[in-house]
Amino acid sequence: MNLTISDTSVFNRLRIILVDTSHPGNIGAVARAMKTMGFSDLRLVNPRFDDALTHPDAIAFASGAQDILASAKVVDKIEDALVDCHFVAAVSARLREFSPPVIAPREFADKVVNTTTQPVALVFGSERYGLPNEIVMNSNVLINVPANPVYSSLNLAQAVQILAYECRMSVLANPLYSAPTSEIGFQGEMASLDQIDRMYQHLEEALVKMDFLDPQNPKKLMPRLKRLFSRAQLEVEEVNIIRGISKRILDFTKK
């Protein structure tokens, strides 16, 4: 689904920051995860490889999201990556004795989508060591993904995907957001109650004619059919198809 993006939209305000990333492939996979959810602001802090954004593994794992890599910025210090950010969330599977408030991804998403219009940063640590305590303690919140406690290790791109997905879903759930009409699949006009009622009458007449429905002992056939069709949210063309089938049955039984 395409979204109309304003200047204050979370899609323009959310910055993904990767600290001390070891594998260029993970950086490419993060770019892909971001693009699939509509985000584009990527910053790298002191990556292991100087060519982290142009490394063949990064390009390969980006899989069509090379534009995210091309626009990404590389800095030496976390402070440079956080410039202009008003709210910082550290992401870690490891809880700390002294840390900011711990929240879940969905709570974070609802907060940044519905309660602020300022730039926000999501900070992810290295694949092996996670985030330094100093970065965590200087953040506003610590995000912990409620994964399997026996094995809570997430790939870097998976963690980014979860947070980006939650933010996107929070936008879609916002009652102030009006989604554009989807261009995927056929979008028909919903049938009116009168059109559906006349379809039922036509169908019932056809079923009686073909001896499938006994009008003296109808049992619950028509109520069950109505229950079945009500779940389908019938469109005008679909109602017309059912009425066309009913007409052919009636025509056939006249012969």
Side-chain angles (χ1 to χ4, degrees):
M1 178 184 291
N2 294 323
L3 301 178
T4 302
I5 302 176
S6 67
D7 291 339
T8 59
S9 167
V10 70
F11 297 104
N12 284 328
R13 294 187 289 107
L14 183 64
R15 181 177 303 166
I16 305 296
I17 299 174
L18 309 182
V19 179
D20 297 331
T21 312
S22 299
H23 303 290
N26 284 335
I27 296 172
V30 165
R32 180 178 182 178
M34 291 172 59
K35 187 167 184 177
T36 59
M37 293 296 111
F39 299 95
S40 60
D41 190 354
L42 175 63
R43 310 289 172 97
L44 307 183
V45 179
N46 193 32
R48 179 179 178 186
F49 294 93
D50 292 336
D51 63 345
L53 293 172
T54 57
H55 192 282
D57 286 348
I59 300 299
F61 279 84
S63 188
Q66 288 88 342
D67 56 319
I68 305 297
L69 297 178
S71 63
K73 294 181 173 62
V74 179
V75 296
D76 296 325
K77 300 181 298 182
I78 184 66
E79 292 80 8
D80 295 332
L82 293 174
V83 170
D84 298 330
C85 289
H86 290 244
F87 187 83
V88 180
V91 182
S92 177
R94 180 167 57 92
L95 298 179
R96 320 296 168 97
E97 183 178 1
F98 299 101
S99 78
V102 179
I103 64 174
R106 191 158 300 173
E107 183 181 351
F108 166 79
D110 289 341
K111 178 177 181 63
V112 300
V113 169
N114 300 315
T115 66
T116 181
T117 59
Q118 301 297 327
V120 175
L122 269 173
V123 187
F124 299 82
S126 71
E127 297 90 335
R128 292 188 61 188
Y129 304 111
L131 282 171
N133 287 331
E134 183 180 359
I135 291 179
V136 173
M137 289 188 294
N138 288 331
S139 299
N140 296 101
V141 295
L142 174 61
I143 298 176
N144 183 255
V145 177
N148 178 5
V150 178
Y151 185 74
S152 60
S153 176
L154 284 171
N155 173 272
L156 178 58
Q158 291 173 336
V160 171
Q161 186 80 77
I162 289 171
L163 271 298
Y165 170 80
E166 290 291 354
C167 288
R168 186 177 184 87
M169 293 306 296
S170 185
V171 171
L172 295 177
N174 191 320
L176 299 179
Y177 169 71
S178 178
T181 302
S182 173
E183 297 178 356
I184 301 176
F186 177 76
Q187 301 292 319
E189 178 186 354
M190 297 300 296
S192 68
L193 293 178
D194 180 63
Q195 290 170 322
I196 294 174
D197 186 57
R198 284 187 280 121
M199 179 201 77
Y200 287 139
Q201 295 174 22
H202 206 168
L203 178 60
E204 183 174 6
E205 184 182 355
L207 294 174
V208 170
K209 278 289 186 180
M210 66 184 298
D211 294 328
F212 190 86
L213 172 63
D214 181 357
Q216 303 304 317
N217 186 27
K219 299 183 179 179
K220 294 184 179 180
L221 178 61
M222 288 310 298
R224 287 190 178 278
L225 286 175
K226 290 180 179 181
R227 184 166 179 262
L228 169 66
F229 283 120
S230 68
R231 294 200 298 269
Q233 298 293 301
L234 291 171
E235 299 172 354
V236 173
E237 288 298 323
E238 294 164 343
V239 166
N240 291 339
I241 290 172
I242 300 300
R243 295 199 65 178
I245 294 172
S246 301
K247 182 178 184 302
R248 289 301 298 270
I249 292 172
L250 291 169
D251 291 343
F252 183 79
T253 54
K254 291 178 182 178
K255 297 179 181 179

